[in-house]
Amino acid sequence: MVRKLSTRRRHPLAGFVVLLFALVVAGGLYSAFRPAVADESGKSDAQLIAEGRQLYEVGCASCHGLNAEGIITKRGKNLGPPLIGVGAAAVDFQVSTGRMPMARPDTQAPEKPRTYDEGEVARLAAYIASLGPGPAIPDPEYYDVSEATDEEIARGGEFFRTNCTACHNFAGVGGALPEGRYAPSLHGVEPIHIYEAMLTGPQQMPVFSDEVLTPKQKRGVIAYIKTLEDQTAYGGLELGSRGPVGEGLWGWTFGIGALVLAAVWIANNGVRAERKKP
Amino acid sequence: MSSSPAARSKAGAASRSTAGVVTWLDERLGIGALTKKQLRKVFPDHWSFMLGEIALWSFVILLLTGTFLSFWFKPSMAEVEYMGSYANLRGLHMSEAYASTLDLSFDVRGGLLMRQMHHWSANLFLASMTIHMLRVFFTGAFRKPRELNWMIGLALLMLGIIEGFAGYSLPDDLLSGTGLRIAQGLMLSIPVVGSYISFFVFGGEFPGDDFIPRLYTVHVLLVPGILLALITAHMLLLVYHKHTQFPGPGRTNNNVVGFPLMPVYMAKAGGFFFIVFGVTALMGGLLQINPIWMYGPYNPAEVTAGSQPDWYMGWLEGGLRIMPNWETNLWGYTLSWNVLIPGVLLLGVLFALLAFYPFIERWITGDDREHHLLERPRNAPTRTAFGVAGMTAYALLWIAGGNDILAYEFGLSLNAITYVMRVAIFVVPVLAFIITRRWCLSLQRHDREVVLHGYETGVIVRSPDGSYAEIHRPINPVRAYELTMHEQHTPVELPAAHDANGVPAPAQGKERLRSRLSHFWYADDVSKPTKEELEAAAHHATNGSHALEDGHGPASGNGAHLGIETSGIVGGQDFGLEQKPKAP
């Protein structure tokens, strides 16, 4: 063993192996000994709200106003809407998916890597929730779809097609809305965020309150979206799941392209083939 | 191996037995004498002559796969509860048409493959008809005596579109229902009779229970029957007219140069069928098309983003999408220009223009002769420009039809695309026309240049006084022949306003219009090199070397000038290398 190692110590890859080993050890030691994450549960609500307010004043107030009352520009445009009464669910959705804070004023806030960690989101949510009553962050029982029955999924699909496909597309891959806005793809979105989006209606999206879609129906919709994500592509390549436009593109490029090439090949070969003389 | 006596005798026996069968049949049916002439039928070779064949073979595939589908598809609007294999829809109530299509896709062995092949084949059928039509248009193959066959082809295209639309409307999924709703909207937009037509077609209010069974009969019986009859007529006329050919040595307006149907084209066409079948099967197996299980059953309350028709209806969809919302209210009735113009009139205008184009061109050019030789697109600049302008308009409408997909994929504003398209649809085709026409004329000029002065060899020679010139070499005679044997068109001249006795000619207005159009059509054509010009050029080429040796070329090195002056000066490879540079 030792002999084996010593003979290979000058192998060109030996340096990399040692480096890798050192990195793994250092990382392992760090994760074993790093200080535990601050425990949120010990803090009182008032404390969370106060900390949330501090975070808010730094990251959000420039658009939403110092007291979350919203800012109207001189031209009457809405720089940032009032946040009083939007509830913790709205904050959790917007900040956890990285939509807020926005990188710049735009027609729509795109999803992006999140700026605040979970604890900070909880503080912000607590602060906003303290300003006025609004939907709270849902408990897992509302969006946990791991045990959804086939029937629930089929019903959810029915609700999905009635309420969601008009903007998000039949496969949930998203679609365009007027003036450069869009309904984003639903693939890879956390169930809790889908639930919160239905509950709070972020950006262009309408609110699907519990009177319109009961929590059970919402869970069915989420379950259906999740099956769409995992579903086998029965027909082969899905070509973007954008309907006949993608199909036409492939028919014209791949199909007609291949057949025209075949026609050229057939016409240039056979009895009449004239090989170019060198 | 084949030289071994055993193998040879085996092959001989096989061919003898084949001959025996053929002789047996011939003695009883007399097909030999009947088909002898047709089997020797000659076809010219060019890849673009095989585009229509793709359509023909696609049609065969459509018949085969369609028959398979008809064994399981139930054209019925009866409500059933789906209990098949696809879990996401199980337990839902839907029409029998949709349920049977789901069964075809998930519970019939090979059903989904056949469905997808049928659908891809339909897309390819229409696409190949379209490019076949473009080939015929741009090469002038529609000219006398083939105008009627052009119109038959157009009827095939139109029926193909209807057939395709009927086909994807049958499964009664969300997308097909949305498409039918638009079709009903088009019917309703027809003034006065619109609502009656709609009620007649749908057997009452939309969607009703009658339409799917009716559409089924149209899709599997009526339209395929007419298609089959028209395809037969199309091909009989092809045989009767004989195939057109591109000009070349030995190819005239009175002959066809090529190889006989049997065995050469039998093999080529037969082989091509299998290639078309193979590509279609590949697409059917690998590329998902019309995933109806994702769309769900049709429900008038639902719609999905990305609701588009198949590509061949896409341009009509585009027209609808960019049309401003114009309506007129007359005595309590609404005239929906917003649907009538892009939906009904646009379709009518396009097909009317296409159908009458051969006659329009014939009238303008006054050309009443038979044409069996094809024209290169550049030699008919105005026709080519019209064609490209039409293609441009079609493409713009296509783009407009997919405006939401474009907006989403490229992060554009849906409204901006719509506004741009509203202007572009009027402006861009005109630009395309002008550019294409100039382009064709430039290519004509280039052809003339190449014939007179040879091609550019890429070899640069420096003359003793320091100027540079590229050596041009004459092109080979076959190429020169091909470049010069097209017709030199002359515009129709206005007949004299007064005859010899001073009597004014009657009805000049129409003639004047025709003459003006004809001048527009032809007047800018670049004239072919004449015999004298060719001889002068050849003479110049042989004597051109003096210009360089004398050093009379411009000392400043005017390459463009020299390039023509010294074209083809040096015959051998030892060009200029032996020349000693002059002392400055």
Side-chain angles (χ1 to χ4, degrees):
Chain A
M1 179 69 189
V2 176
R3 185 181 167 76
K4 220 177 201 175
L5 276 177
S6 70
T7 52
R8 295 194 180 170
R9 71 186 196 280
R10 296 198 190 282
H11 192 274
L13 287 178
F16 292 103
V17 172
V18 171
L19 183 67
L20 199 69
F21 179 72
L23 281 173
V24 169
V25 169
L29 285 175
Y30 171 76
S31 64
F33 289 105
R34 75 181 166 143
V37 179
D39 189 10
E40 305 290 340
S41 57
K43 291 193 175 170
S44 70
D45 282 355
Q47 230 175 329
L48 281 178
I49 290 168
E51 285 174 19
R53 184 177 168 88
Q54 280 180 349
L55 285 169
Y56 175 87
E57 281 168 0
V58 174
C60 319
S62 59
C63 295
H64 290 288
L66 266 178
N67 297 305
E69 75 280 22
I71 293 180
I72 307 288
T73 60
K74 276 184 188 166
R75 288 196 204 149
K77 294 255 168 96
N78 205 342
L79 187 62
L83 298 181
I84 298 163
V86 299
V91 178
D92 188 51
F93 173 82
Q94 300 279 5
V95 185
S96 295
T97 60
R99 287 182 165 81
M100 289 291 152
M102 284 175 88
R104 61 192 159 95
D106 205 346
T107 45
Q108 190 167 331
E111 194 190 349
K112 61 180 188 296
R114 51 195 287 174
T115 320
Y116 295 98
D117 66 25
E118 263 171 58
E120 289 166 333
V121 173
R123 288 178 180 83
L124 280 170
Y127 169 62
I128 296 298
S130 73
L131 300 175
I137 298 171
D139 292 329
E141 60 177 292
Y142 288 107
Y143 56 83
D144 179 21
V145 293
S146 55
E147 278 164 30
T149 60
D150 278 0
E151 197 194 337
E152 216 179 326
I153 294 171
R155 293 279 153 220
E158 209 43 4
F159 287 115
F160 178 75
R161 283 187 295 274
T162 310
N163 298 300
C164 316
T165 52
C167 301
H168 287 286
N169 164 300
F170 59 90
V173 296
L177 298 173
E179 308 285 5
R181 302 185 186 103
Y182 58 91
S185 168
L186 301 175
H187 288 226
V189 180
E190 296 292 326
I192 182 174
H193 294 147
I194 301 178
Y195 193 95
E196 286 168 346
M198 285 190 273
L199 203 60
T200 61
Q203 306 191 29
Q204 319 307 317
M205 187 163 158
V207 173
F208 294 92
S209 68
D210 286 349
E211 287 77 46
V212 178
L213 273 183
T214 63
K216 217 180 150 213
Q217 290 167 344
K218 286 196 180 82
R219 200 175 62 178
V221 169
I222 296 170
Y224 181 75
I225 293 171
K226 289 291 140 192
T227 61
L228 284 185
E229 265 175 36
D230 305 335
Q231 183 169 299
T232 320
Y234 295 104
L237 290 179
E238 286 167 316
L239 316 182
S241 287
R242 302 228 163 268
V245 172
E247 295 161 5
L249 189 67
W250 276 76
W252 271 96
T253 50
F254 177 75
I256 288 296
L259 291 174
V260 167
L261 284 181
V264 172
W265 179 69
I266 291 176
N268 284 336
N269 282 283
V271 283
R272 225 175 77 83
E274 284 173 20
R275 300 271 172 244
K276 284 217 173 82
K277 284 171 194 126
Chain B
M1 173 124 160
S2 60
S3 61
S4 79
R8 231 182 305 156
S9 76
K10 212 173 173 184
S15 81
R16 261 198 308 283
S17 75
T18 318
V21 172
V22 173
T23 313
W24 189 90
L25 278 174
D26 189 30
E27 282 167 2
R28 280 152 187 86
L29 299 172
I31 37 177
L34 269 177
T35 53
K36 196 171 176 183
K37 193 175 164 215
Q38 295 311 327
L39 286 178
R40 300 296 302 161
K41 190 93 190 159
V42 162
F43 285 96
D45 237 352
H46 194 270
W47 66 268
S48 70
F49 300 162
M50 302 176 75
L51 300 175
E53 220 176 282
I54 303 177
L56 180 67
W57 298 139
S58 294
F59 186 70
V60 173
I61 298 168
L62 283 167
L63 288 181
L64 293 174
T65 51
T67 307
F68 180 94
L69 298 180
S70 73
F71 293 161
W72 284 278
F73 179 71
K74 299 190 185 75
S76 153
M77 288 296 280
E79 192 176 316
V80 294
E81 193 183 343
Y82 178 67
M83 288 314 246
S85 297
Y86 186 64
N88 278 2
L89 294 172
R90 205 175 295 145
L92 294 186
H93 287 250
M94 53 184 67
S95 69
E96 219 176 343
Y98 183 69
S100 64
T101 315
L102 284 177
D103 288 341
L104 247 172
S105 305
F106 292 106
D107 295 305
V108 174
R109 192 166 301 235
L112 184 56
L113 176 69
M114 287 294 158
R115 252 198 68 226
Q116 298 205 133
M117 277 180 70
H118 193 69
H119 207 130
W120 277 123
S121 194
N123 274 6
L124 294 177
F125 178 56
L126 282 148
S128 52
M129 279 205 278
T130 307
I131 51 173
H132 171 59
M133 187 189 76
L134 291 174
R135 195 281 294 174
V136 168
F137 181 87
F138 284 115
T139 57
F142 56 81
R143 291 174 297 172
K144 188 181 172 184
R146 294 181 178 79
E147 300 101 321
L148 283 179
N149 221 13
W150 165 263
M151 289 174 95
I152 291 177
L154 205 60
L156 282 170
L157 182 63
M158 200 153 39
L159 283 169
I161 292 175
I162 293 170
E163 180 71 348
F165 179 78
Y168 71 71
S169 297
L170 277 176
D172 196 37
D173 59 300
L174 183 53
L175 209 52
S176 75
T178 309
L180 278 181
R181 183 58 154 172
I182 294 175
Q184 192 227 1
L186 298 188
M187 291 175 202
L188 286 177
S189 77
I190 301 170
V192 185
V193 292
S195 42
Y196 295 94
I197 291 179
S198 169
F199 269 75
F200 171 71
V201 168
F202 287 90
E205 285 283 2
F206 177 87
D209 288 346
D210 292 345
F211 192 64
I212 294 287
R214 289 179 181 179
L215 201 63
Y216 185 67
T217 312
V218 170
H219 182 74
V220 304
L221 179 71
L222 182 65
V223 181
I226 304 174
L227 278 174
L228 203 56
L230 285 179
I231 289 174
T232 312
H234 200 64
M235 295 185 61
L236 283 177
L237 277 176
L238 160 76
V239 168
Y240 172 68
H241 290 143
K242 299 176 186 60
H243 206 288
T244 51
Q245 58 188 351
F246 278 106
R251 298 174 184 190
T252 70
N253 211 23
N254 302 318
N255 69 5
V256 186
V257 179
F259 277 85
L261 186 65
M262 184 74 197
V264 176
Y265 278 95
M266 287 289 204
K268 285 197 176 198
F272 200 29
F273 169 73
F274 290 107
I275 290 178
V276 176
F277 196 98
V279 169
T280 311
L282 214 59
M283 295 179 84
L286 297 178
L287 306 177
Q288 175 170 291
I289 188 165
N290 200 22
I292 51 130
W293 59 91
M294 303 281 279
Y295 299 139
Y298 181 53
N299 174 348
E302 296 173 1
V303 74
T304 166
S307 284
Q308 259 98 5
D310 273 13
W311 73 261
Y312 39 89
M313 301 289 272
W315 63 287
L316 281 175
E317 172 86 9
L320 276 173
R321 286 187 184 206
I322 59 172
M323 181 72 194
N325 190 22
W326 293 342
E327 285 183 351
T328 314
N329 238 299
L330 286 177
W331 306 291
Y333 296 96
T334 305
L335 269 177
S336 290
W337 303 113
N338 45 7
V339 181
L340 186 67
I341 291 175
V344 182
L345 297 184
L346 195 66
L347 186 74
V349 166
L350 178 89
F351 275 95
L353 256 182
L354 281 173
F356 292 112
Y357 183 81
F359 305 100
I360 297 171
E361 187 183 303
R362 197 177 133 195
W363 182 75
I364 291 174
T365 59
D367 184 353
D368 205 19
R369 292 160 303 150
E370 287 206 359
H371 292 280
H372 300 287
L373 281 181
L374 297 171
E375 271 184 313
R376 298 171 81 203
R378 69 183 61 173
N379 289 329
T382 313
R383 179 204 298 147
T384 305
F386 266 125
V388 173
M391 283 170 72
T392 309
Y394 189 95
L396 288 170
L397 288 172
W398 248 3
I399 293 172
N403 58 1
D404 59 327
I405 308 286
L406 289 176
Y408 187 75
E409 292 289 333
F410 297 104
L412 302 169
S413 161
L414 193 62
N415 306 51
I417 297 179
T418 306
Y419 297 140
V420 167
M421 283 302 155
R422 280 177 184 172
V423 179
I425 194 67
F426 294 104
V427 176
V428 179
V430 176
L431 287 178
F433 180 89
I434 295 169
I435 292 170
T436 310
R437 198 157 177 278
R438 298 303 318 169
W439 198 333
C440 287
L441 292 171
S442 298
L443 286 171
Q444 285 187 5
R445 212 164 286 130
H446 174 74
D447 282 352
R448 183 188 149 88
E449 194 77 18
V450 167
V451 170
L452 283 179
H453 304 302
Y455 68 96
E456 299 168 353
T457 55
V459 177
I460 309 291
V461 182
R462 185 175 186 240
S463 74
D465 55 5
S467 65
Y468 290 93
E470 185 177 7
I471 295 188
H472 288 231
R473 300 278 301 276
I475 54 175
N476 77 36
V478 172
R479 186 82 191 123
Y481 182 78
E482 284 169 358
L483 290 182
T484 50
M485 82 158 302
H486 60 273
E487 280 177 44
Q488 187 73 57
H489 297 296
T490 44
V492 178
E493 288 307 329
L494 203 57
H498 301 275
D499 65 8
N501 300 322
V503 180
Q508 280 272 344
K510 218 169 119 189
E511 286 302 314
R512 206 172 294 139
L513 173 70
R514 177 183 184 166
S515 172
R516 206 174 295 155
L517 283 173
S518 175
H519 271 91
F520 170 66
W521 213 264
Y522 285 147
D524 293 332
D525 278 11
V526 174
S527 59
K528 297 198 291 193
T530 59
K531 198 179 165 206
E532 291 74 33
E533 283 172 326
L534 277 170
E535 280 166 358
H539 177 73
H540 195 85
T542 48
N543 296 334
S545 50
H546 298 304
L548 219 147
E549 278 166 11
D550 294 348
H552 287 322
S556 60
N558 187 339
H561 176 63
L562 256 181
I564 297 170
E565 283 284 285
T566 59
S567 55
I569 36 164
V570 204
Q573 288 90 328
D574 53 344
F575 53 88
L577 287 179
E578 289 167 8
Q579 294 170 357
K580 302 271 187 306
K582 270 183 187 169

